[in-house]
Amino acid sequence: MERIFLLEDDATLGRGICMALCGPERTVVLADCVEQARQKLAQTQFDLLLLDINLPDGSGLDLLRALRSRGDATPAILLTANDLELDEVTGLEAGADDYITKPFSLAVLRARVNAQLRRRTAQPSARMETGPFLFDFEQMYFCRDGITVELSKTEQKLLRVLVENRGHAVPRATLVDRVWTDGAEFVEENALSVTVKRLRTKLEKDPAKPEYLKTVYGIGYTWAVQP
């Protein structure tokens, strides 16, 4: 059962949104003020938050900032009458995943909600087991045949992209874009090759004849799926 939390002080709009989104496998919990929202959010884990910004006793934007500061990563869509670009940027920087200005079509809202819920469901697990390996990217724990392997942050990023796309060739340019995401304008040409070599040294039994982290000549690299 999917649980959606809605913070909206307009009673008519709130009822309309609830009717549009509720279904056999989905429920919507409504609050009409920030204080009530805090109480309900403390009692239940939700799959998606719909937050109005301007409320009688505060701001849904401030509520979202407070949730994000505590590490709550629940997807959130802001609902607001403020349609200035600055307001949208402020909302997204506060941790919102989407931003919808009033008045809006309930059909559009439903489509945006469905998109966020699909994205949440599609999130790959941080813990993966493949062949002799166990990779836990959340706990930063990696091992082969039960023996712990220490990986740098860059090696972890590269490994995760490859394992999440195992069986598919990932182009070099894609790997560079996904791994070196610190805003650096220039990445040395051999940085990817060096990181791949280090990963092979740590993970492959024979780095010169890799079984898993294979080169796809002319394209990039792949994490091979073993029969």
Side-chain angles (χ1 to χ4, degrees):
M1 174 68 74
E2 293 173 338
R3 294 180 176 85
I4 298 174
F5 176 76
L6 170 62
L7 174 57
E8 173 58 63
D9 64 321
D10 183 319
T12 302
L13 179 58
R15 286 194 299 271
I17 292 175
C18 288
M19 292 176 62
L21 298 181
C22 281
E25 298 298 325
R26 180 182 294 173
T27 184
V28 180
V29 174
L30 175 64
D32 60 8
C33 65
V34 173
E35 181 57 34
Q36 190 180 63
R38 290 196 185 101
Q39 295 173 8
K40 294 189 176 183
L41 288 171
Q43 296 168 356
T44 306
Q45 180 67 44
F46 292 93
D47 298 295
L48 178 68
L49 310 178
L50 298 175
L51 306 176
D52 190 14
I53 289 184
N54 300 312
L55 296 145
D57 62 340
S59 166
L61 188 60
D62 291 338
L63 175 62
L64 179 60
R65 288 194 180 104
L67 292 171
R68 294 294 189 248
S69 70
R70 296 200 297 268
D72 189 330
T74 306
I77 299 176
L78 292 177
L79 310 176
T80 178
N82 301 330
D83 60 356
L84 296 178
E85 182 176 319
L86 178 60
D87 296 317
E88 183 172 355
V89 171
T90 300
L92 295 173
E93 289 182 343
D97 297 273
D98 202 351
Y99 188 103
I100 302 177
T101 56
K102 300 176 181 177
F104 51 78
S105 158
L106 290 177
V108 169
L109 175 64
R110 188 163 51 242
R112 299 277 191 93
V113 164
N114 290 340
Q116 289 297 328
L117 290 171
R118 282 196 304 271
R119 191 171 296 126
R120 179 180 176 86
T121 303
Q123 287 293 327
S125 171
R127 181 185 174 93
M128 304 177 190
E129 293 186 52
T130 177
F133 301 100
L134 170 60
F135 302 138
D136 191 325
F137 293 95
E138 186 172 313
Q139 300 299 321
M140 291 185 290
Y141 173 75
F142 311 92
C143 71
R144 174 171 182 152
D145 296 320
I147 300 173
T148 302
V149 179
E150 297 294 332
L151 300 180
S152 71
K153 288 291 183 65
T154 301
E155 291 163 354
Q156 291 176 35
K157 286 182 178 180
L158 175 59
L159 177 63
R160 185 163 192 171
V161 175
L162 290 169
V163 174
E164 287 179 351
N165 293 278
R166 53 191 175 277
H168 300 281
V170 184
R172 291 180 62 91
T174 300
L175 291 169
V176 170
D177 288 342
R178 294 281 299 276
V179 175
W180 282 270
T181 56
D182 57 1
E185 295 183 3
F186 176 75
V187 177
E188 290 189 16
E189 187 175 344
N190 68 337
L192 177 59
S193 300
V194 170
T195 306
V196 167
K197 183 178 180 180
R198 289 175 179 165
L199 265 182
R200 284 174 172 161
T201 300
K202 294 179 179 183
L203 298 176
E204 298 281 4
K205 285 189 174 181
D206 183 355
K209 298 178 180 179
E211 297 177 82
Y212 295 92
L213 207 175
K214 292 180 175 289
T215 300
V216 183
Y217 293 99
I219 300 178
Y221 299 94
T222 185
W223 189 269
V225 176
Q226 300 298 312

